[in-house]
């Protein structure tokens, strides 16, 4: 039951803070003020939140830079200690011709250092291959072998370096050799460098060639100067061979980093051949290479590098048995003159065992943890776009700092790597000085060769596969592996069209129906804020030449359902559209802080109804699509299909038809649609996004930027949703605030981490156009329901249905917690139940569909594994058993708290529930909701008994029982989740309301939803009424309109009488008596109708109040209306409806091309559904039969669970398990309930782990998006200045009345310094101007900005001229005085 609390997927969202007038409006969801009163004021993007994030980011810079730097030094130093001691043990082994236990132990520690990264990587790849990406490599057999050969050679070189080079040279010499390793990659870089920098390739080529020669010369020099280190010529030769071989073999792994493009496709060809990550089947490739590397390492360690080594278990068993005091055969280290030729001074007995100093194991642990820490922190630094400071600098300078510190210690007479142990290594004379020179020469060369490490990534939170060629680390040479595996972030050569297509294009699509004024104002304010933000970005990009990676273009679309109504014989926009037209200026005035107007919209006639087009102050379009339900299908899903097909099919594809080849055929189902698209269109589809909104959502532009980040990070992300916060007041809203918080904190976070989010709510989600265009997504989404479950799955939860299709097609859906939005939540109990009556069945239907297609989904979608399918299956089962679990908990607590008989508790708990089921099956919906309201209140009182019962049960059974432990985990998880969301912590306070309302949410609500599966109505906003600006305006026009309609009808009746008189000549010779009688009867009937209409007009004139809608149904006025309506229907059926006059005098029309597109689209997918009575009855019977079958199964399963658990309780003494604790304390538990409880506990712990992982990811995302520049510096400040100057510039008193967009020089600012100076003058001017209320004015941000810039430049010119005249006069006066 507890896990089910996270099932509710929030569908609401934030209210960004805007400077709005203090207005209080009573909406259907409560009182709303112009300023935000809920949630977002404590968000992370407030002024305090931004400053806090800046401080955290500065600390992150310091933390990452320091620990990466220290970690590299610690890794080098700890490894040097191990290899130095290994050399000492090798010397001891040579004396006695046998290996010591110490030598074996150190060898095994070194082999672990080499193999642990491969072991971890292999494990992760195996899990990914088994439960995720099971794609086999697409490379050819030869390429696959080449990939594995490269990895095997790398591990051979690594073992040669560790076992045959480093033990026989000093720390400075080792550093010199390591600095010279990247010689081969530098040669490759020299070969390919001319392909990137064609204009300056000569200089770069010369420097790179010199760099390669320096590195190769360094290797040769180190071979020469280290000759003589071995005990004989064979060892000297082997040392020189391994110095060269290790440098070559290690560097082969990094060659692909430096392969650059010389022509289209060449880079991909080389990288594919060399096993570049990012290819299909990477998991399989790395899995095989990791296994091969482990096998080769084990073979080499036993057959070549450490012949005769004991097994790892034997080695450490002998080590544990060694007496550290030396009494059991362990003796001190032999003196330095103990050699094979002079054994008389060697200790006895022979052979002997040398004690392994305790410093060795800490050295291994320091190396292991420091290398792993450096690797993960380095990746984090690149993801946060901190590469220069926190990646390149510490990795580059760590080696020289380590070498200098070692050299100083040696000069001071302290070889720290040897002084920790007895014994020493022979030093070659003056080799350390030569090694120092060689190191710095090779180090400078290496800094040049890996200069790509200094380039920041352009994308935030890049995958490590995008950042590094080899996405796993090499522990012994961690700094080199990171520097030379870092990908070269090369600019992609694009044509002008491709660059334009790669710009993020966002279509803001908000569906509307019956929203009130406050809700409309809220969404329109978001449009205005977005428009202002986009305008400032455009100006800073075009004029200040700012590199804005977050630049976007947007266009607003508002599909307005059922927007047209019939008045007389005219189709005109309804009152809700008129309300929108009124509110749009109010919203703009609130955002810009001044009284503005957009003017009348363009009115366009379309095949689906009409279109209102506004141009927002920033130049962006806001298009309201007025849907006439008589011409196009209405409701939310069809509105989404309408705008998605239009914006993709027409704006993206049809408008770019000239780019397509003549042979393009979209009806060819054998090809993917993307194979037929031109490159420009494919890029555009990749970077075009739909922001799906409800008509009452409030959000900040910052939230859009964060959502786009998620989309840019991974092209397989088809949709991403933000953190939705419900607004309003009252107990129902309090319940939802806690429910939404827990649902997002735990459920969505766990889905994001362990698989994919199953539902991206349609009220605030971003979808990728390419994902919608894919096969079986939009085409399937547009299908009509044919089965009963389709009515639930398709229309009752359209957003979840669309997400299910995207998941099945292989796309990932993510959750971005930092992108917040606010929506109004139902405050009324009945409306809340009606809303959830739609959500619950659609949620279950889509999850069942996803689970049923699990085989296909896991095959297509690498993010969904079988473990994730099992996780969702358990959650679904917990949701189904929710009602019975609630009943069992309440019944048990009732018997625990109150001394009542068992049958009494059954009657109190179960009988009302059974009665409620009967009511839901047989009575009207209003009766059901009233019963649910009463029972929810009564059961809420009983929930207090549950609280007491749980406490009593824990106190009686013990504080360590499974129930108590689960309760502790539950409470701790909620508190911990709140602590991880500090700005939302107050939502936990509503947990008390949520807990006592569990019977309402998990018993009566589920029963209500299951029993009303046959009801497919929307359930919310159906009785909403528009409120126009003048409350008295709506009555008189309606009366006048009715009078006009009566007059028209009366004229039609009179015309009919006259026509009849002319057509029928009564009394003629050819007319019978029968004909004459019928003709007279028709005249009389027409006269009666005419008299009725005349009477109606008289009533309206004499008693206008009688037109109120509250008039009783039997009133004569109502009867007159009935006659009129019938007459009007006859009139409308015989005359064409005027559906164009609403567009005023000169209506615009869409182009013939667009008109044809709309007609084809409506005919194919969106034609109005006009079911006849027989079909409606068949659908109703089908849904009712479906409801009966599902409800029977649902209640049977829950009843079965109640019976089983009740029976187990009755025989608890026989089947219970007794656990004995200390002090003879025992407790008993029932096995089935215990298993059920443990499953929930495991799921809750999984969600906690997912929440923590997601919070870490969110923190990184927010830090990466935080700009450290102050509010008075940088492009962020420049955009704010542009916004203020463009929004309020013409209020400065410096308005140029002759200014117009034509015939003048366009003023611009070319750099931030000029903008700062102009802005200072602008502030001085605006401070002097007296602010007065102004009438509404048109606001053009671009015109306003340029006007302000021109005026301020004029002021500067005048001031300079004035100052120069004053200075000239002053000089003249001084000259006269001197004379």
């Amino acid at each position: 039951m507890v896990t089910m609390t996270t099932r509710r997927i929030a569908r609401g969202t934030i209210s960004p803070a805007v400077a709005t007038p203090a207005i209080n409006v009573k909406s259907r969801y409560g009182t709303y003020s112009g300023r935000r009163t809920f949630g977002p004021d404590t968000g992370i993007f407030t002024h305090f939140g931004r400053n806090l994030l800046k401080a955290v980011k500065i600390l992150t810079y310091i933390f990452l830079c320091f620990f990466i730097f220290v970690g590299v030094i610690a890794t080098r130093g700890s490894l040097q200690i191990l290899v130095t001691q290994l050399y000492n043990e090798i010397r001891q082994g040579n004396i006695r011709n046998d290996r010591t236990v110490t030598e074996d132990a150190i060898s095994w520690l070194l082999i672990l250092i080499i193999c642990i990264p491969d072991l971890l990587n292999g494990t992760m790849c195996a899990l990914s291959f088994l439960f995720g990406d099971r794609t086999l490599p697409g490379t050819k057999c030869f390429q696959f072998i080449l990939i594995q050969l490269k990895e095997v050679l790398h591990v051979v070189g690594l073992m040669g370096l560790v076992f045959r080079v480093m033990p026989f040279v000093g720390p400075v010499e080792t550093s010199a050799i390591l600095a010279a390793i990247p010689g081969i990659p530098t040669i490759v870089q020299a070969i390919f460098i001319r392909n990137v920098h064609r204009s300056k390739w000569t200089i770069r080529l010369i420097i790179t060639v010199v760099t390669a020669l320096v590195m190769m010369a360094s290797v040769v020099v180190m071979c020469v100067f280290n000759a003589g280190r071995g005990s004989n010529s064979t060892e000297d030769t082997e040392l020189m061979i391994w110095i060269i071989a290790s440098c070559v073999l290690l560097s082969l792994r990094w060659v692909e980093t430096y392969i650059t493009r010389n022509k289209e496709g060449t880079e991909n060809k080389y990288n594919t051949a060399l096993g570049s990550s990012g290819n299909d089947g990477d998991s399989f490739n790395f899995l095989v290479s990791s296994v091969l590397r482990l096998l080769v390492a084990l073979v080499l360690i036993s057959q070549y590098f450490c012949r005769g080594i004991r097994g790892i278990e034997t080695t450490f068993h002998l080590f544990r048995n060694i007496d550290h005091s030396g009494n059991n055969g362990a003796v001190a280290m032999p003196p330095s003159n103990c050699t094979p030729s002079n054994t008389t001074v060697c200790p006895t007995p022979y052979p002997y065992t040398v004690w392994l100093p305790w410093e060795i194991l800490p050295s291994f642990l320091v190396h292991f943890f420091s290398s792993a820490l450096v690797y993960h922190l380095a990746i984090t630094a690149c993801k946060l776009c901190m590469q220069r400071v926190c990646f390149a600098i510490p990795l580059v300078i760590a080696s020289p700092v380590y070498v200098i510190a070692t050299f100083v210690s040696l000069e001071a007479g302290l070889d720290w790597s040897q002084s920790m142990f007895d014994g020493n290594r022979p030093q070659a004379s003056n080799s350390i000085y030569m090694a120092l020179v060689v190191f710095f020469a090779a180090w400078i060369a290496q800094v040049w060769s890996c200069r790509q490490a200094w380039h920041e990534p352009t994308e935030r939170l890049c995958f490590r596969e995008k950042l590094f060629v080899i996405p796993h680390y090499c522990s012994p040479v961690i700094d080199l592996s990171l520097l030379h595996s870092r990908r070269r972030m090369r600019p992609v050569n694009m044509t002008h069209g491709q660059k334009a297509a790669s710009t993020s294009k966002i279509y803001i699509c908000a569906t509307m129906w019956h929203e009130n004024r406050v809700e409309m104002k809220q969404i329109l304010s978001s449009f205005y804020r977005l428009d202002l933000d986009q305008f400032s970005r455009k100006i800073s990009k075009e004029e200040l030449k700012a590199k804005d990676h977050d630049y976007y273009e947007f266009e607003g679309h508002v599909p307005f359902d059922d927007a047209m109504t019939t008045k007389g014989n005219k189709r005109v926009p309804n009152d809700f559209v008129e309300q929108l037209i009124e509110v749009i200026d109010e919203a703009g005035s609130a955002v810009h802080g001044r009284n503005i107007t957009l003017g009348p919209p363009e009115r366009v006639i379309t095949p689906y109804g009409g279109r209102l087009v506004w141009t927002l102050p920033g130049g962006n379009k806001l298009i309201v699509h007025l849907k006439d339900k008589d011409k196009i299908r209405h409701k939310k899903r069809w509105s989404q299909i309408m705008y998605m097909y239009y914006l993709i099919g027409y704006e993206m594809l049809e408008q770019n038809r000239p780019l397509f080849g003549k042979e393009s055929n979209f009806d060819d189902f054998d090809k993917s649609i993307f194979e037929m698209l031109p490159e420009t269109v494919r890029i555009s589809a990749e970077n075009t996004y739909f922001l799906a909104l409800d008509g009452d959502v409030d959000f900040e532009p910052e939230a859009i930027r964060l959502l786009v980040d998620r989309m840019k990070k991974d092209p397989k992300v088809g949709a991403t949703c933000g953190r939705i916060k419900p607004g309003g007041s009252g107990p129902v809203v309090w319940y939802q605030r806690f429910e939404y918080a827990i649902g997002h904190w735990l459920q969505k976070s766990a889905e994001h981490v362990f698989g994919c989010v199953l539902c991206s709510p349609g009220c605030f989600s971003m979808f990728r156009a390419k994902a919608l265009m894919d096969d079986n997504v939009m085409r399937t989404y547009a299908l009509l329901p044919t089965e009963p479950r389709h009515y639930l799955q398709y229309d009752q939860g359209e957003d979840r249905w669309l997400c299910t299709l995207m998941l099945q097609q292989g796309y990932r859906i993510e959750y971005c917690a930092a992108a917040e939005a606010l929506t109004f939540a139902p405050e009324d109990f009945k409306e809340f139940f009606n809303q959830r009556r739609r959500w619950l069945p659609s949620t279950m239907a889509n999850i069942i569909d996803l689970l049923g297609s699990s085989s296909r989904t896991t095959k297509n979608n690498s993010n969904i594994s079988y473990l994730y399918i099992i996780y969702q299956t358990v959650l679904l089962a917990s949701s189904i058993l929710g009602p019975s679990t609630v009943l069992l908990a309440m019944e048990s607590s009732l018997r625990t708290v109150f001394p009542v008989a068992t049958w009494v508790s059954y009657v109190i708990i179960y009988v009302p529930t059974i009665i409620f089921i009967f009511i839901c099956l047989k009575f009207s919906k209003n009766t059901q909701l009233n019963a649910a309201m009463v029972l929810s209140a009564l059961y809420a009182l009983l929930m207090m008994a549950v609280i007491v019962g749980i406490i009593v049960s824990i106190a009686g059974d013990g504080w360590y029982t499974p129930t108590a432990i689960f309760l502790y985990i539950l409470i701790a998880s909620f508190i911990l989740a709140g602590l991880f969301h500090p700005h939302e912590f107050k939502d936990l306070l509503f947990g008390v309301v949520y807990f006592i309302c569990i019977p309402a949410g998990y018993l009566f609500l589920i029963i209500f939803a299951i029993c009303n599966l046959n009801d497919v109505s929307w359930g919310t906003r159906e009785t909403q009424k528009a409120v126009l600006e003048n409350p008295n305006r709506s009555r008189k026009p309606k009366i006048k309109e009715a009078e006009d309609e009566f007059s028209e009808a009366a004229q039609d009746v009179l015309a009919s009488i006259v026509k009849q008189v002319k057509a029928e000549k009564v009394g003629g010779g050819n007319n019978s008596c029968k004909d004459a009688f019928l003709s007279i009867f028709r005249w009389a009937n027409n006269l009666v109708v005419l008299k009725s209409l005349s009477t109606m007009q008289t009533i309206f004139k004499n008693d206008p109040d009688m037109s109120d809608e509250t008039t009783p149904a039997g009133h004569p006025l109502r009867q007159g209306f009935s006659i009129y309506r019938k007459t009007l229907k006859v009139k409308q059926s015989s005359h064409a409806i005027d559906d164009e006059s609403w567009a005023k005098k000169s209506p615009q029309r869409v182009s013939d091309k667009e008109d044809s597109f709309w007609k084809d689209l409506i005919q194919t997918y969106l034609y109005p559904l006009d079911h006849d009575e027989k079909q409606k009855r068949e659908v109703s019977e089908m849904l009712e039969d479906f409801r009966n079958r599902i409800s029977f199964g649902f209640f049977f399963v829950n009843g079965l669970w109640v019976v089983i658990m009740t029976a187990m309780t009755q025989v608890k003494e026989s089947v219970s398990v007794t656990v004995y604790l200390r002090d003879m304390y025992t407790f008993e538990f029932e096995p089935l309930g215990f298993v059920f409880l443990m499953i929930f506990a495991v799921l809750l712990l999984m969600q906690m782990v997912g929440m923590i992982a997601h919070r870490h990811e969110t923190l990184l995302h927010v830090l990466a998006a935080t700009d450290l520049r102050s509010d008075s510096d940088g492009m962020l400040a420049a955009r704010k200045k542009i916004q203020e100057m463009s929004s309020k510039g013409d209020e400065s008193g410096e308005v140029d009345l002759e200014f117009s967009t034509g015939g003048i020089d366009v003023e611009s600012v070319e750099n931030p310094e000029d903008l700062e100076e102009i802005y200072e003058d602008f502030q001085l001017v605006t401070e002097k101007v007296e602010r007065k209320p102004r009438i509404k004015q048109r606001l053009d941000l671009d015109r306003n900005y340029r006007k302000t810039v021109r005026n301020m430049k004029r002021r500067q010119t005048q001031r300079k001229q004035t100052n120069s005249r004053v200075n000239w006069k002053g000089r003249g006066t001084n000259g006269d005085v001197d004379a």
Side-chain angles (χ1 to χ4, degrees), residues 330-334 347 352 354 422:
V331 298
M333 291 292 295
Y352 56 86
V354 178
D422 296 326

Side-chain angles (χ1 to χ4, degrees), residues 16 18 506-509 523-538 550 552-557 591-592 616-621 691 693 698-705 708 764 766 1283 1341:
V18 294
I506 306 174
Y507 290 108
I508 314 295
C509 304
I523 185 65
L524 291 173
S525 297
S526 301
F527 277 111
Y528 276 105
R529 284 193 296 270
L530 203 61
D531 172 69
L532 185 60
D533 179 76
Q534 193 277 336
F535 169 77
S536 63
R537 290 181 183 274
K538 180 175 66 175
D550 298 317
Y552 62 91
E553 297 174 354
F554 91 93
E555 191 173 272
H557 290 264
V591 171
H592 290 281
L616 297 175
N620 299 289
K621 295 290 186 181
L691 183 66
L693 302 172
D698 198 2
F699 60 90
E700 290 280 6
E702 188 70 30
I704 306 301
R705 180 165 71 104
V708 173
F764 185 65
M766 183 170 285
Q1283 291 175 9
L1341 295 180

Side-chain angles (χ1 to χ4, degrees), residues 1352-1368:
M1352 294 304 106
K1353 283 186 175 181
R1354 286 179 177 177
R1355 288 178 57 83
Q1356 292 174 2
T1357 302
Q1358 293 173 359
R1359 186 168 60 249
K1360 290 178 181 178
Q1361 292 175 352
T1362 302
N1363 292 337
S1364 64
R1365 287 197 297 268
V1366 171
N1367 292 335
W1368 181 82

Side-chain angles (χ1 to χ4, degrees), residues 634-650:
H634 64 292
K635 291 192 177 181
K636 188 174 181 179
R637 177 163 75 103
W638 304 113
S639 293
Q640 291 182 340
I641 294 170
M642 169 187 170
Y643 68 69
M644 288 177 180
Y645 265 106
Y646 168 64
L647 297 174
I648 294 176
Y650 181 77

Side-chain angles (χ1 to χ4, degrees), residues 254-272:
W254 308 323
V255 166
E256 60 189 280
T257 303
Y258 300 96
I259 294 177
T260 53
R261 185 191 309 268
N262 59 350
K263 62 180 180 179
E264 191 68 27
T266 302
E267 181 181 6
N268 292 336
K269 180 179 70 176
Y270 279 107
N271 285 341
T272 301

Side-chain angles (χ1 to χ4, degrees), residues 177-197:
I177 294 172
L178 293 178
I181 284 179
I184 301 298
T186 307
I187 296 174
V188 173
Q189 184 181 5
I191 295 173
F192 284 89
I193 195 171
R194 63 178 297 178
N195 301 322
V196 179
H197 306 281

Side-chain angles (χ1 to χ4, degrees), residues 1024-1043:
Q1024 191 79 4
K1025 291 182 175 58
V1027 179
L1028 300 179
E1029 191 171 22
N1030 185 358
N1032 297 322
R1033 173 185 172 187
S1034 59
R1035 183 177 299 279
K1036 291 185 179 180
K1038 287 184 177 180
I1039 297 173
K1040 182 65 171 63
E1041 180 182 314
E1043 293 177 359

Side-chain angles (χ1 to χ4, degrees), residues 170-414:
V172 179
E173 291 89 341
T174 299
S175 298
I177 294 172
L178 293 178
I181 284 179
I184 301 298
T186 307
I187 296 174
V188 173
Q189 184 181 5
I191 295 173
F192 284 89
I193 195 171
R194 63 178 297 178
N195 301 322
V196 179
H197 306 281
R198 295 185 181 274
S199 59
K200 301 179 181 180
W201 70 270
T202 304
I203 299 176
R204 295 176 183 271
L205 177 61
I206 293 173
I207 297 176
T208 305
V209 170
V210 172
T211 298
L213 293 176
V214 168
M215 289 186 177
M216 290 187 291
S218 300
V219 175
V220 174
V221 171
M222 293 311 301
C223 289
V224 173
F225 277 86
N226 281 288
R229 288 296 183 97
S231 58
N232 51 55
S233 60
T234 303
E235 290 186 359
D236 290 342
T237 303
E238 187 179 21
L239 176 61
M240 289 187 290
I241 291 174
W242 274 112
I243 289 176
I244 298 174
S246 60
C247 291
V248 172
L249 297 180
L250 284 174
S251 63
L252 289 177
R253 201 183 202 190
W254 308 323
V255 166
E256 60 189 280
T257 303
Y258 300 96
I259 294 177
T260 53
R261 185 191 309 268
N262 59 350
K263 62 180 180 179
E264 191 68 27
T266 302
E267 181 181 6
N268 292 336
K269 180 179 70 176
Y270 279 107
N271 285 341
T272 301
L274 293 172
S276 175
S277 61
N279 300 323
D280 292 337
D282 276 345
S283 295
F284 183 80
N285 279 332
F286 290 136
L287 174 61
V288 174
S289 64
S290 297
V291 173
L292 287 178
R293 286 167 62 91
L294 291 172
L295 293 176
V296 169
L298 293 177
V299 171
L300 290 177
I301 193 72
S302 61
Q303 301 300 322
Y304 178 72
F305 292 109
C306 301
R307 291 191 186 96
I309 188 173
R310 301 174 182 86
I312 186 170
E313 184 177 356
T314 303
T315 299
F316 288 99
H317 175 73
L318 292 174
F319 165 68
R320 285 198 307 270
N321 292 334
I322 293 177
D323 185 357
H324 297 175
S325 64
N327 295 329
N328 66 340
V331 298
M333 291 292 295
S336 58
N337 58 349
C338 176
T339 63
S341 60
N342 184 20
T343 59
T344 57
V345 297
C346 297
T348 57
Y350 220 84
Y352 56 86
T353 302
V354 178
W355 168 48
L356 176 66
W358 282 111
E359 288 83 355
I360 294 297
L361 188 58
S363 298
F364 164 76
L365 295 177
V366 167
H367 179 89
F368 171 71
F369 287 109
S370 60
S371 61
L373 182 66
V374 167
Y375 171 70
H376 291 288
L377 292 182
I379 291 178
T380 301
C382 294
K383 287 184 175 182
L384 294 179
C385 302
M386 301 178 178
Q387 181 164 311
R388 291 193 183 98
V389 177
C390 300
F391 179 83
I393 291 178
L395 291 179
V396 167
I397 69 173
S399 293
V401 171
Y402 167 76
V403 170
I404 292 173
T406 303
F407 176 77
V408 171
S409 66
L410 292 175
E411 287 295 306
L414 175 63

